[in-house]
Amino acid sequence: MKKLSVKIWMLLLLFIAITIVFLVIFTNFLYEELYVEDKETSMREIAENLQTTYKGGAVTNEFIKQTEDFNRFSDVEVFTVRNPRELSACLPFDIDYETLIGPEERAELIGGEAVIKRGYEKRFNREVVSVIYPLVDENRLEGIIYVYVPLTKMTEMASKDVIFLLITVSLLLLIMAWISLKTLQKVLVPLDKLKVAANEMASGKYETRVEVKSSDEIGELAKTFNQMATSIQQEDEKKRDFLSIVSHELRTPISYIKGYGEAFEQELVPEEKKKEIYALIVQEANRMQKLTNDLLTVARSEQNHHIDMSPLVLSEVVREVLPLVKSLADKKQIRFIVTIDEETILKADEQMTKQILINILENAIHYSPVSSTITIGNEIAKNETTIHIKDEGCGIAPEHLPHITERFYRVNKARSRVDGGTGLGLSIASQLIEMQKGRLVFTSEVEKGTTVYITLPIWEDSFL
């Protein structure tokens, strides 16, 4: 974090320094282009106004005095000389007029043109801006009007306050550095905390959370991280609970089988009990086999999300499923009444749909009394059909209904184990229905029975 923060901080300081340098250069440019140009225009106007008062002939003392009077009230230096060679006498410097007005410039003056000069003058030893207007009469240069102003550089203008400027710029840099550092800390410190939290999550500390102090993008990132951490923690807890329940469910039949096996090995089982115990061993082995198969189904449904949706005639699916549960139903003399619409065509995965019906029917058989009836029918509404499976079993109390599709949830645990249930059948059915964009709903009344409603989409051509 420190390396990145130092890099960004140095980059910000560099940007600030570049900005200050740019502002200095730009200000100097504005000074050159606007201030000096404006000064030059002002001097030209002064010289032109004075030139218009010249009536021709020799330059009179009154004209020179008029110029000197004007000079006292002007912010620029103005004077008039008859002979340019007298120029040195009018300036507070030791001037060689040939360096101020060269031969070419003199020719321009005689031609009636003004001479504008800007730059370093050796005799002045400084930058000046000067405007020279001729006083010409019949091609004779009777005199010149000389207007000039020292061209002071910005640095020279600020030379007296250079210490003040240095202190101001230094303070500005310190303030900007402090602000940029605090800004970086505000951004990077939460990111560093997120990195630490992510490392703790990676090491298995799923209870790790970060404090959300802002509502900006960093705050949103922290919220998202906390939501992700909560989801991972919940999944981890579910996985632990699942493994714990699976271990418990397997431990019971294994204990039975191990205990009875040891009893047989030590010849402790009376002859008249052997048949009964053999039946118990087979029952527990069957329960282990069913639990293992259900766990495999759960694992496959979670890992493989591929669904082969195809047109499926519902009545044929029901007819193919019923023989699979007939032996279980026959043990309790349970009969089926099927009123499935022959025209209903599902848009579903065949194997998933069969698994759903088998799980629901097995569950209905387990909780139905002897010689009862299970009714199977369906109703079509718009682009879906709802299959209802109604039994005459013991029913489910209202407080249990919201939980019966949870894994290993049992309303009556003792009875479920006797019946051979694993507590996964309805959970698997619910998961497979959800994968096919369907719905599973239960209604039940204690001692009167339960109705299961399975809603699945139907094939588009079947409802056109």
Side-chain angles (χ1 to χ4, degrees):
M1 192 277 288
K2 290 183 178 179
K3 291 183 178 179
L4 178 61
S5 63
V6 170
K7 287 180 181 177
I8 297 176
W9 191 49
M10 294 298 293
L11 187 62
L12 285 174
L13 290 181
L14 178 62
F15 286 156
I16 293 170
I18 290 174
T19 303
I20 292 175
V21 171
F22 172 77
L23 288 175
V24 171
I25 295 174
F26 186 68
T27 303
N28 190 63
F29 170 77
L30 290 178
Y31 168 77
E32 291 288 342
E33 295 299 322
L34 299 179
Y35 172 75
V36 175
E37 188 172 336
D38 179 71
K39 206 69 178 175
E40 182 180 298
T41 302
S42 176
M43 289 190 297
R44 289 171 66 95
E45 291 176 353
I46 293 172
E48 287 175 357
N49 290 334
L50 291 173
Q51 188 186 39
T52 56
T53 62
Y54 173 64
K55 305 300 182 184
V59 176
T60 63
N61 291 334
E62 288 75 13
F63 187 87
I64 294 174
K65 187 174 183 304
Q66 174 188 342
T67 305
E68 292 174 350
D69 291 340
F70 182 86
N71 186 49
R72 284 198 292 270
F73 303 102
S74 175
D75 59 345
V76 297
E77 297 294 333
V78 185
F79 52 85
T80 300
V81 294
R82 297 187 181 88
N83 187 341
R85 290 182 181 278
E86 299 174 4
L87 191 60
S88 60
C90 302
L91 297 174
F93 309 100
D94 183 14
I95 298 174
D96 180 356
Y97 81 94
E98 290 295 350
T99 60
L100 294 174
I101 303 174
E104 295 179 357
E105 294 161 346
R106 181 181 177 82
E108 291 179 10
L109 290 171
I110 293 174
E113 298 179 4
V115 175
I116 311 299
K117 300 179 69 176
R118 181 194 301 183
Y120 179 76
E121 286 291 350
K122 183 178 179 182
R123 300 299 299 179
F124 292 176
N125 193 27
R126 64 187 311 166
E127 300 275 345
V128 298
V129 179
S130 58
V131 175
I132 307 170
Y133 269 63
L135 300 174
V136 180
D137 184 30
E138 296 180 356
N139 297 326
R140 289 184 55 193
L141 184 63
E142 297 291 342
I144 61 171
I145 301 171
Y146 197 97
V147 185
Y148 79 97
V149 65
L151 185 60
T152 306
K153 291 184 177 178
M154 291 293 291
T155 53
E156 293 176 354
M157 293 174 67
S159 59
K160 295 180 180 177
D161 301 319
V162 65
I163 297 177
F164 173 77
L165 286 175
L166 287 174
I167 293 174
T168 303
V169 172
S170 299
L171 286 175
L172 178 63
L173 280 174
L174 288 174
I175 292 172
M176 295 300 292
W178 183 80
I179 292 174
S180 60
L181 180 62
K182 290 298 179 184
T183 304
L184 280 175
Q185 287 178 343
K186 187 177 180 181
V187 173
L188 294 180
V189 168
L191 289 179
D192 186 58
K193 290 181 179 177
L194 279 172
K195 185 193 73 175
V196 173
N199 288 334
E200 290 180 352
M201 288 283 295
S203 64
K205 297 179 180 178
Y206 300 128
E207 70 281 4
T208 302
R209 299 290 186 277
V210 291
E211 187 178 0
V212 180
K213 292 184 177 180
S214 63
S215 59
D216 55 10
E217 288 81 356
I218 299 296
E220 290 297 322
L221 181 61
K223 286 181 183 177
T224 303
F225 176 86
N226 288 340
Q227 291 171 355
M228 180 193 70
T230 301
S231 299
I232 292 175
Q233 186 179 15
Q234 290 174 347
E235 286 299 317
D236 182 67
E237 290 172 355
K238 285 181 181 177
K239 186 181 294 182
R240 293 186 185 201
D241 292 343
F242 181 76
L243 291 176
S244 175
I245 294 172
V246 168
S247 299
H248 177 74
E249 293 294 326
L250 288 175
R251 187 184 300 120
T252 302
I254 289 174
S255 298
Y256 275 115
I257 294 172
K258 182 173 180 293
Y260 291 138
E262 289 174 349
F264 274 108
E265 186 181 35
Q266 297 172 14
E267 298 181 349
L268 300 176
V269 181
E271 191 65 30
E272 64 274 15
K273 289 282 185 179
K274 285 184 178 179
K275 188 176 181 180
E276 178 183 350
I277 293 176
Y278 281 139
L280 288 173
I281 291 174
V282 172
Q283 177 183 313
E284 293 303 320
N286 288 335
R287 198 155 72 86
M288 287 177 60
Q289 183 183 35
K290 181 168 178 52
L291 177 60
T292 306
N293 291 336
D294 285 348
L295 290 173
L296 285 173
T297 302
V298 171
R300 287 169 183 164
S301 62
E302 288 183 345
Q303 295 176 0
N304 183 16
H305 295 287
H306 174 70
I307 303 174
D308 184 15
M309 304 293 274
S310 59
L312 205 61
V313 179
L314 176 59
S315 58
E316 290 183 5
V317 174
V318 173
R319 281 194 286 269
E320 290 175 6
V321 165
L322 287 179
L324 300 178
V325 297
K326 186 175 185 301
S327 59
L328 188 63
D330 288 346
K331 291 179 181 178
K332 301 174 76 173
Q333 294 89 46
I334 294 175
R335 67 188 186 101
F336 295 101
I337 298 177
V338 180
T339 58
I340 294 291
D341 177 21
E342 293 290 337
E343 303 296 326
T344 302
I345 301 177
L346 297 176
K347 181 183 180 183
D349 183 285
E350 182 176 359
Q351 294 305 318
M352 286 187 179
T353 305
K354 286 182 177 178
Q355 185 67 58
I356 293 166
L357 293 174
I358 290 171
N359 288 9
I360 299 294
L361 288 172
E362 284 184 346
N363 200 65
I365 293 169
H366 285 152
Y367 296 102
S368 291
V370 176
S371 301
S372 61
T373 301
I374 296 177
T375 305
I376 307 172
N378 77 302
E379 293 178 358
I380 297 177
K382 294 184 179 178
N383 56 349
E384 61 186 19
T385 184
T386 299
I387 308 164
H388 48 81
I389 301 175
K390 184 177 187 311
D391 64 53
E392 298 173 345
C394 57
I396 304 169
E399 63 268 23
H400 295 297
L401 280 177
H403 306 288
I404 57 176
T405 57
E406 296 176 4
R407 289 175 183 173
F408 298 110
Y409 187 85
R410 289 188 174 97
V411 175
N412 186 329
K413 296 182 179 179
R415 184 177 178 183
S416 297
R417 287 201 171 91
V418 170
D419 290 341
T422 63
L424 289 172
L426 294 182
S427 174
I428 293 171
S430 175
Q431 188 171 352
L432 295 180
I433 291 170
E434 185 178 345
M435 290 173 66
Q436 298 183 87
K437 303 185 184 306
R439 301 186 299 279
L440 178 63
V441 177
F442 294 84
T443 60
S444 186
E445 192 172 351
V446 176
E447 302 301 336
K448 290 189 176 179
T450 302
T451 302
V452 181
Y453 298 93
I454 306 167
T455 302
L456 291 172
I458 59 177
W459 195 255
E460 293 180 359
D461 292 343
S462 64
F463 59 85
L464 288 177

